[in-house]
Amino acid sequence: MASMKLFLALSVLSLLAFSGSAQLSPTFYQTSCPNLLTIVRNGMTQAVNREARLGASILRLFFHDCFVNGCDGSILLDDTSTFTGEKNAAPNANSARGFEVIDTIKTSVEAACRATVSCADILALAARDGVVLLGGPSWTVPLGRRDARTASQSAANSQIPSPFSNLATLISMFSAKGLSATDMTALSGGHTIGQARCTLFRNRIYNETNIDPNFATTRRANCPLSGGDNNLAPLDSTPTRFDNSYYSDLVARRGLLHSDQELFNGGSQDALVRTYSGNSATFNRDFAAAMVRMGNISPLTGTNGEIRRNCRLPN
């Protein structure tokens, strides 16, 4: 009897733990598409070997997907006659990239398991694999998301945090998605890989004072006061390696974006940034856990949404 009570208690606890993603499961495609994980990993390996930055680009696509109406693959949709998609929203125009990588993987997945795996799930797996391929942590990806039939440019414009945001805004925008300040600071560590355009950090390197002067001088060489908007700079000192250098750079006042340096600027996240800068294992653990939580934001499951045949178009 006691063991039965314990079993029931544990069952209730496990239901509570997964209530936000009741139908998502790491084994969702185990019988319907058993080679899925291998296909996605192979596709990401080819992409990252061709251009390391694509690991960062796919991670960013997943983040920008999940923050707009949940992780539903809506960012992958092209504009149609009935809706304006998210690709040309301010946070994505001229910067969201890697769509062709998802297209290529989707083609391989469709060849193996037709009309079975959502674009949203492919993106979730690809984001994880890109991080792993660049030396970062792995995590088990819950699966079973379905794809949105529409997208929202206005939601993309209002719900994705800006590189110009202050700390209070960042905390509140992540909180609106059910993510804690710790999740926010850990997920910001995704900026340990990838590049940013001059237009996004120009004000920081010319006008802000909480910046290492040598770092500012170095960055100004490739980001003039006018022109060169699309010139790129690395988001941290090791842009093709997923590590904790991002946090060491913040402690040294070498955050590239205003929103980066806000995490270490005399505020509530300073201590955590110091911890991550000195302990990569703690960062890796927190990042992986936060990625699972982010991937659980409002997924479409069951009979909601669809399994898109082409990630760019509703069926």
Side-chain angles (χ1 to χ4, degrees), residues 107 124 155 176:
T107 300

Side-chain angles (χ1 to χ4, degrees), residues 7 34 37 60 124 131 213 236 270:
F7 172 76
L37 273 64
R60 186 167 180 263
V131 168
D236 88 346
D270 283 20

